[in-house]
Amino acid sequence: MVREIATNWESPQCGKQLILPVSGFTITSTLPPASSLPPPFPEDVDRELELLLQSPGGSGGTAAAFNEANLHASFKGIMDHLWTIWELALLGEPLIVVAPSSYLCSEAVASLLSLISPLPYFGEIRPYFTIHDSYFHTVRDQVSKGCVPSGVFGITNLVVLKSLQPWPHVVSIGDDMSYQSSVDLQYFDSNNNMFGESVNIQKPGSRNSTGRGGILKSWIGRRRDATSLISTYQEKLWSSYQPCTKKSNSLINRVKNAKNASVANLMIRQHFGELTRRFLEPFAEFFKPSRSASTSGGSSCTSVRRFSENDFFETL
């Protein structure tokens, strides 16, 4: 029924009001005039985008989850760590993404998952994870027992980070200026009662102020794990994992010198798309379909080759 109604809607035009009837209701909308749209890319930039899209690993060939996510916007401040983050995503390692807003952390989680495109991510995915989430207490209990769940969790509240220690891999993105000047540190006792105090968040390099909470702030500031974000916010990766993949200084320099963010984003996506393709190459032989012998009914069935560790390592 709705489909039949929608087929009778008039075509949208820039600067013209649309009146869309839907099941007895009317939706009114006005598209902005064409003059208010951003100017097109210069011809040389447009050509560079076209070449990147057509090249192997570009996003023009295959559609995968979160390919529209902006890798450059999310991770431009921690480009040196992208190769480590790529490996952590491939391995399904538990990772917390800290950002100043729900939009930024959700976008960063989507960007992180798109790094391993076209591989799907099978761990827990929580783009915006809060202390009020029904799953929070389950995760906290698992962490306290040393069983950190596999998944990617995007957070904005540093209370969540403090409550889920020790967490093996934490990445923080975004400008520290976006954070409020103080945060209420809350802890849980055995009866799930919260208690704590307010602690100031300061810029990197600033001195700890004195007064209420000064000793606690000083102690937190000396820590080398992600809880130091509580006193000094910065873009960083906290992880003891040693990656096997070397970072590409060439890519980092090309991204820095890119003509605009769109070109930089496609450069990053192309590079990691190629890395993922190379990672999958040794497995390709085991996914080629083959026809088996005819069954009793006279039809043949399609199967894939049985995985063999010896055969696999011989191809490496």
Side-chain angles (χ1 to χ4, degrees):
M1 179 179 177
V2 175
R3 181 180 178 182
E4 293 177 358
I5 295 174
T7 55
N8 294 322
W9 288 349
E10 59 180 315
S11 299
Q13 297 180 22
C14 290
K16 184 178 179 181
Q17 187 181 57
L18 285 175
I19 300 177
L20 310 175
V22 182
S23 301
F25 296 92
T26 300
I27 301 175
T28 303
S29 178
T30 303
L31 297 180
S35 58
S36 67
L37 298 177
F41 288 133
E43 186 175 341
D44 57 339
V45 176
D46 199 43
R47 178 59 181 163
E48 188 170 0
L49 283 170
E50 182 180 350
L51 291 174
L52 284 169
L53 285 169
Q54 293 174 353
S55 61
S59 59
T62 57
F66 306 119
N67 253 7
E68 71 282 359
N70 195 328
L71 287 164
H72 179 255
S74 295
F75 301 123
K76 61 185 177 182
I78 52 170
M79 275 292 298
D80 287 355
H81 300 298
L82 266 188
W83 288 263
T84 303
I85 294 172
W86 175 74
E87 288 191 22
L88 292 174
L90 278 178
L91 298 172
E93 286 288 313
L95 186 63
I96 283 180
V97 178
V98 187
S101 69
S102 57
Y103 171 80
L104 288 177
C105 75
S106 299
E107 177 80 4
V109 168
S111 297
L112 189 152
L113 298 179
S114 74
L115 275 179
I116 61 173
S117 174
L119 281 175
Y121 185 83
F122 287 102
E124 188 75 27
I125 302 174
R126 301 276 175 157
Y128 182 42
F129 190 55
T130 74
I131 204 168
H132 304 291
D133 195 304
S134 59
Y135 188 52
F136 172 77
H137 292 287
T138 301
V139 174
R140 190 195 50 160
D141 292 342
Q142 290 177 337
V143 172
S144 65
K145 296 175 183 177
C147 301
V148 183
S150 174
V152 180
F153 299 82
I155 69 168
T156 60
N157 190 347
L158 297 177
V159 173
V160 177
L161 181 63
K162 181 65 181 177
S163 302
L164 298 180
Q165 290 301 311
W167 194 276
H169 316 291
V170 178
V171 58
S172 56
I173 65 162
D175 187 357
D176 66 290
M177 293 296 291
S178 302
Y179 263 111
Q180 56 184 6
S181 60
S182 65
V183 62
D184 290 328
L185 290 184
Q186 296 172 329
Y187 309 91
F188 293 86
D189 59 20
S190 57
N191 296 320
N192 279 335
N193 296 318
M194 292 192 298
F195 61 95
E197 63 175 307
S198 178
V199 174
N200 290 333
I201 300 176
Q202 302 188 12
K203 299 178 184 179
S206 62
R207 297 179 179 178
N208 286 332
S209 59
T210 58
R212 188 172 181 264
I215 296 177
L216 178 60
K217 285 182 290 183
S218 176
W219 173 77
I220 292 174
R222 290 196 300 267
R223 297 198 61 170
R224 295 183 179 180
D225 59 22
T227 55
S228 63
L229 287 171
I230 296 172
S231 61
T232 305
Y233 191 81
Q234 57 185 312
E235 292 184 293
K236 191 175 179 180
L237 170 67
W238 283 267
S239 175
S240 60
Y241 175 78
Q242 297 297 320
C244 301
T245 311
K246 293 183 179 180
K247 68 179 181 181
S248 170
N249 290 320
S250 173
L251 173 67
I252 294 174
N253 290 330
R254 286 191 295 121
V255 167
K256 287 180 179 178
N257 297 323
K259 295 177 179 177
N260 63 37
S262 297
V263 172
N265 183 56
L266 279 174
M267 286 178 176
I268 300 171
R269 188 166 299 287
Q270 176 188 6
H271 178 85
F272 284 96
E274 180 64 17
L275 277 184
T276 305
R277 186 188 67 79
R278 292 181 181 179
F279 171 78
L280 291 174
E281 275 182 353
F283 298 94
E285 285 293 323
F286 299 97
F287 289 95
K288 289 182 178 178
S290 60
R291 290 280 181 179
S292 60
S294 299
T295 60
S296 57
S299 60
S300 60
C301 59
T302 302
S303 60
V304 294
R305 179 181 167 189
R306 184 182 294 274
F307 182 77
S308 167
E309 287 188 12
N310 293 332
D311 293 346
F312 173 73
F313 284 111
E314 285 179 2
T315 63
L316 298 179

